Amino acid sequence: MSVATRSRAAESPFRSKGDVDAAYFCDREAVQQELAGALRSMKSVAISASRGYGKTWLMRLTLRQLERQGFLTAYLDLGYVHSPLQWIES
């Protein structure tokens, strides 16, 4: 093993922060297309899963896809808003 190889840390395939890259998703094409179709039709959508399953990334990836198709999108993270008053005050 060379010195250069030893000094380089192995890159983890798992991502928890940063920009969305479709290469990090596995077997999500059908779910993403269903989500995009619902949003194109202006339907309300709820995404539910345990923490760490990629809900936020799926949403951001889908919004990016819709933006490329000419849709105007917005993303609001309301995960820490627990009441209408807290929403108004923040």
Side-chain angles (χ1 to χ4, degrees):
M1 180 185 288
S2 72
V3 174
T5 305
R6 276 189 226 150
S7 65
R8 244 185 310 157
E11 185 176 330
S12 172
F14 303 104
R15 302 278 308 261
S16 62
K17 295 180 181 177
D19 208 4
V20 177
D21 185 349
Y24 287 95
F25 281 95
C26 299
D27 301 323
R28 297 276 183 102
E29 294 86 4
V31 174
Q32 184 185 359
Q33 292 308 315
E34 183 179 356
L35 177 58
L39 293 173
R40 272 190 221 98
S41 300
M42 300 172 84
K43 295 180 181 174
S44 295
V45 176
I47 300 173
S48 177
S50 297
R51 184 177 184 173
Y53 276 80
K55 299 175 298 294
T56 300
W57 277 38
L58 176 65
M59 192 68 200
R60 289 183 178 173
L61 189 65
T62 303
L63 291 178
R64 191 179 283 174
Q65 173 189 349
L66 292 173
E67 288 168 0
R68 285 192 301 267
Q69 296 172 2
F71 287 88
L72 180 63
T73 69
Y75 175 80
L76 298 174
D77 185 352
L78 302 176
Y80 298 102
V81 176
H82 302 290
S83 72
L85 180 60
Q86 187 180 10
W87 167 253
I88 292 167
E89 290 175 344
S90 61

